Amino acid sequence: MQPFSYDALPMRVRFGEKALEQLPGELEELGVSRTVVLTTPREQAFGEQVDELLGPVGLGVYPHAAMHVPVSTADAACAYIAEVGADSVVCLGGGSTVGLGKAVALRTGLPIIAVPTTYAGSEMTPVWGLTEDGIKRTGRDRRVLPTSVIYDPTLSTGLPVEVSVTSGFNAIAHAVEGLYAPDASPIISLMAAEGVAHMLTALPAIVADPADLQARSDALYAAWLCGAVLGATTMGLHHKLCHILGGTFDLPHADTHSVVLPYVMAFNLSAAPAADDALVRATGTDSPATLVRELEQSLGIVGSLAELGMPESGIDEVIRQALAAPYSNPRQVTEADLRTLVTAAFTGSPIG
């Protein structure tokens, strides 16, 4: 076996049905006593229920989390949290809410506790992102890593099927890219393959029966593993493209990852045989990229960036930004390669 290093991230996880009920005790164990609950506008009512669960510890709900974490939203959230005198933040929801919590932690140093209701997996990473003037900046900082994560499968049973599916493929993208990252390891490969296999099994079951708690539990477990893979490795071409697409054109985060994923897989796996072997085992097929694309189509995922609202004129801008900043990738990326890949994702061309 080749030498490797693996740096485990410090984090506490509670997993199980009705685990949300343990949130007050978790906050007490962390030594915090004044908490703001962050949500999106859509989940405000649920946030108010959680705030009520916290009793005197809860200082209210800030329901303004948005995709790609606009700088103005982060500014306003920090101002509100300072005004009420919070010493901690609970992030209730998906990637948008966790992303806002990370922005707060980056600026204030306050601990954040994540309660995921989707399968994005961002709660397991020290990666933050902020968007301003159409440009999304990202970075890594352990200050933004949630101190605790509470995984409660019952919280995702009401998640719309289409959101469940796209956030699940978003999680798969984390695992795939971790498999061929320069800092991958046998431990990462185990988590990635396990996460991909469980998610690919769970998503069709969720589509067939959105109330299937076992399928929801499997998807949440897979999201945990896939997110942990991303948290421990270096991002490459896939995440670079999706950050550009999201920040520049305000495309929906998980949907964008879902559309781009099979095209980047098809491009990169030929140059990453170990990653390809792991995905062949996890998917049970010799063409993992094709299987992912076909499964996405069968589960109703939008098939192209054009359908998500990206203008065709934006292809040149995506290429310009992708070439302007270096990033790790197992295969050299040329301007011609990018044009072929992004154009295929824009039109929804067949894989291969």
Side-chain angles (χ1 to χ4, degrees):
M1 181 177 292
Q2 293 293 323
F4 67 92
S5 62
Y6 175 69
D7 189 3
L9 296 174
M11 182 179 293
R12 178 183 175 87
V13 174
R14 291 182 184 263
F15 190 107
E17 294 179 32
K18 299 184 178 180
L20 180 63
E21 295 176 0
Q22 302 175 53
L23 178 58
E26 187 68 18
L27 293 171
E28 182 179 359
E29 189 161 333
L30 293 175
V32 296
S33 60
R34 296 176 60 80
T35 299
V36 167
V37 178
L38 303 182
T39 72
T40 60
R42 178 177 172 270
E43 294 186 303
Q44 180 176 359
F46 185 29
E48 291 170 352
Q49 295 175 26
V50 172
D51 181 62
E52 184 175 348
L53 171 68
L54 296 178
V57 173
L59 300 180
V61 179
Y62 187 82
H64 304 297
M67 285 192 310
H68 310 303
V69 195
V71 168
S72 58
T73 301
D75 290 342
C78 288
Y80 174 81
I81 289 166
E83 179 183 347
V84 299
D87 63 3
S88 54
V89 173
V90 169
C91 308
L92 179 67
S96 296
T97 307
V98 174
L100 179 57
K102 288 179 174 182
V104 169
L106 186 67
R107 295 183 177 191
T108 67
L110 294 181
I112 59 175
I113 298 89
V115 184
T117 60
T118 73
Y119 310 129
S122 60
E123 66 280 351
M124 298 305 297
T125 82
V127 179
W128 58 267
L130 287 164
T131 301
E132 187 172 29
D133 298 328
I135 301 295
K136 185 170 184 177
R137 297 182 297 112
T138 62
R140 283 179 176 264
D141 193 311
R142 289 204 177 190
R143 288 178 297 172
V144 311
L145 191 70
T147 305
S148 296
V149 180
I150 293 180
Y151 285 113
D152 186 340
T154 63
L155 302 184
S156 66
T157 54
L159 188 66
V161 168
E162 61 273 16
V163 179
S164 302
V165 172
T166 55
S167 69
F169 279 103
N170 182 14
I172 289 173
H174 302 334
V176 169
E177 196 142 83
L179 280 168
Y180 51 64
D183 42 6
S185 70
I187 308 304
I188 290 298
S189 296
L190 285 172
M191 291 193 295
E194 175 84 348
V196 170
H198 274 264
M199 190 66 82
L200 290 176
T201 300
L203 293 180
I206 289 170
V207 172
D209 179 8
D212 185 339
L213 193 56
Q214 183 59 56
R216 294 287 187 180
S217 182
D218 286 347
L220 204 57
Y221 168 68
W224 173 5
L225 292 176
C226 294
V229 168
L230 178 66
T233 56
T234 303
M235 292 184 289
L237 175 62
H238 173 87
H239 283 82
K240 179 66 176 179
L241 290 176
C242 290
H243 290 159
I244 293 169
L245 290 162
T248 305
F249 307 110
D250 198 32
L251 302 186
H253 180 82
D255 302 70
T256 302
H257 278 270
S258 299
V259 170
V260 172
L261 172 60
Y263 295 100
V264 177
M265 288 176 67
F267 177 77
N268 272 337
L269 289 179
S270 62
D276 189 50
D277 288 345
L279 288 170
V280 165
R281 293 192 299 271
T283 62
T285 176
D286 290 336
S287 181
T290 300
L291 179 139
V292 166
R293 171 69 175 172
E294 291 177 349
L295 183 59
E296 287 180 344
Q297 290 179 309
S298 72
L299 297 181
I301 282 183
V302 168
S304 70
L305 295 174
E307 292 176 77
L308 293 179
M310 176 186 166
E312 186 172 6
S313 60
I315 293 175
D316 287 339
E317 177 61 16
V318 173
I319 294 170
R320 184 192 70 77
Q321 290 190 42
L323 291 174
Y327 47 87
S328 167
N329 202 61
R331 179 176 171 182
Q332 183 178 2
V333 183
T334 66
E335 181 176 352
D337 292 331
L338 283 171
R339 187 167 299 281
T340 299
L341 193 160
V342 176
T343 300
F346 175 79
T347 60
S349 301
I351 297 294

